[in-house]
């Protein structure tokens, strides 16, 4: 029997190659504070009202075109949850959203109409003002008001009036409303300039100012940590392993 007629040797049977282990191992800790679900719940225009409150609420306010919708979308890591537009004054009602974190914490976020947009009629601006003031004065579960200020413009008269209004509207029947000032669009100017502008705002109001960019997400973690502390009282949470991960909506 020559070499050509010898039967070929069979190679030992082998199974499929095992999948490569994920970086950090199977039980790599995930961020328990990451938002895994966010949805629109309800809206209220002048003459109507939101559903009865059921939990602590975080409201967002600011002048038109200050980047409020973009900030909320960045916070919940959803591109289109809150409608954004190039034309100021897109939000013409109070919108209520719900966000749920991986650790089970649930937040109600309130998007208030932007103020200071001169092209709206006087009657419409008055109706919006009454709508905002009615919510801020009477919402029993309002825990925090995030006031957005364009870092390039600084605090304006409307912003200062809003801070004063909330401070004077304190009600013994509800917890004090935490006022949080956020300097938006810090990516538009240099880091040194943005820090100086935020420091000036902090000095004039006596409050901490958080710099924020919806482009780079800078300030997102710091803002969430503060909002969690205000609404839940416990900013830290137990990490969740990958086995218990919930896919984002």
């Amino acid at each position: 029997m020559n070499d050509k007629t010898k039967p070929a040797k069979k190679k030992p049977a082998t199974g499929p190659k095992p999948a490569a282990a994920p970086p950090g191992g199977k039980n790599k800790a995930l961020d328990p504070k990451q938002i895994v679900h966010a949805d629109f719940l309800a809206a209220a225009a002048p003459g109507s009202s939101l559903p009865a409150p059921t939990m602590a609420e975080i409201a967002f306010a600011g002048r038109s075109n200050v980047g409020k919708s973009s900030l909320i979308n960045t916070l919940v890591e959803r591109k289109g949850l809150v409608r954004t537009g190039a034309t100021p004054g897109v939000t013409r009602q109070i919108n209520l959203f719900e966000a749920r974190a991986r650790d089970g914490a649930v937040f109600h976020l309130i998007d208030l109409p932007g103020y200071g947009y001169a092209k709206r009629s006087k009657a419409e601006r008055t109706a919006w003002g009454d709508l905002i003031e009615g919510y801020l004065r009477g919402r029993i579960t309002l825990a925090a008001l995030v006031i957005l200020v364009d870092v390039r413009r600084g605090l304006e008269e409307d912003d200062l009036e809003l801070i004063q209004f909330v401070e004077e509207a304190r009600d013994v029947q509800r917890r004090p409303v935490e006022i949080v000032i956020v300097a938006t669009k810090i990516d538009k100017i240099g880091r040194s300039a943005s820090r100086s502008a935020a420091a000036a705002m902090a000095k004039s109001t006596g409050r901490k100012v958080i710099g924020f960019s919806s482009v780079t997400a800078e300030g997102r973690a710091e803002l969430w940590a503060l909002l969690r502390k205000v609404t839940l009282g416990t900013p830290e949470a137990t990490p969740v392993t990958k086995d218990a991960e919930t896919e984002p909506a």
Side-chain angles (χ1 to χ4, degrees):
M1 182 180 295
N2 55 36
D3 292 339
K4 293 183 179 181
T5 58
K6 287 181 180 180
K9 292 182 179 181
K10 293 184 179 180
K11 295 182 180 180
T14 58
K17 293 183 179 180
K26 183 177 180 181
N27 293 325
K28 181 183 178 181
L30 299 171
D31 181 4
K33 297 185 283 291
Q34 182 184 8
I35 300 300
V36 296
H37 179 80
D39 201 6
F40 169 81
L41 292 185
S48 62
S49 59
L50 292 171
T54 59
M55 64 177 64
E57 295 177 348
I58 303 165
F60 297 82
R63 293 179 61 84
S64 297
N65 208 28
V66 75
K68 181 161 48 65
S69 298
S70 296
L71 179 140
I72 298 175
N73 285 335
T74 301
L75 273 180
V76 300
E77 298 182 82
R78 301 292 182 275
K79 291 184 178 180
L81 179 67
V82 185
R83 186 164 63 114
T84 61
T87 303
V90 168
T91 304
R92 305 176 70 174
Q93 58 191 12
I94 294 178
N95 292 314
L96 167 61
F97 302 91
E98 182 175 278
R100 176 170 53 83
R102 179 173 282 112
D103 64 359
V106 178
F107 305 90
H108 276 183
L109 310 178
I110 306 295
D111 183 16
L112 298 174
Y115 48 81
Y117 186 45
K119 290 187 178 181
R120 300 296 181 193
S121 69
K122 183 177 180 180
E124 188 174 20
R125 293 200 307 272
T126 299
W128 286 5
D130 292 344
L131 185 68
I132 296 172
E133 290 183 5
Y135 171 83
L136 295 176
R137 190 189 300 276
R139 197 68 167 178
I140 196 69
T141 52
L142 177 61
L145 173 65
V146 180
I147 299 178
L148 283 66
V149 180
D150 189 323
V151 70
R152 300 167 297 180
R153 299 170 65 98
L155 287 159
E156 300 188 59
E157 185 177 353
D158 288 333
D159 306 312
L160 297 173
E161 288 179 354
L162 180 58
I163 293 173
Q164 182 179 3
F165 174 83
V166 175
E167 289 178 336
E168 294 177 352
R170 293 184 182 276
D171 191 328
V172 294
Q173 296 182 353
R174 72 176 182 187
R175 72 169 92 182
V177 177
E178 183 78 18
I179 296 176
V180 180
I181 300 176
V182 175
T184 63
K185 305 186 181 183
I186 59 173
D187 56 281
K188 302 293 186 182
I189 60 178
R191 184 172 295 274
S192 177
S194 65
R195 287 178 176 175
S196 296
M201 287 185 234
K203 184 177 181 179
S204 65
T205 61
R207 299 178 181 277
K208 178 180 176 62
V209 177
I210 298 175
F212 194 97
S213 169
S214 296
V215 176
T216 66
E218 182 176 351
R220 179 183 177 277
E222 184 181 3
L223 180 55
W224 257 132
L226 178 57
L227 296 179
R228 286 179 67 96
K229 182 177 181 180
V230 170
T231 55
L232 305 178
T234 52
E236 300 300 327
T238 303
V240 178
T241 63
K242 189 169 183 178
D243 291 340
E245 181 179 1
T246 302
E247 291 297 326

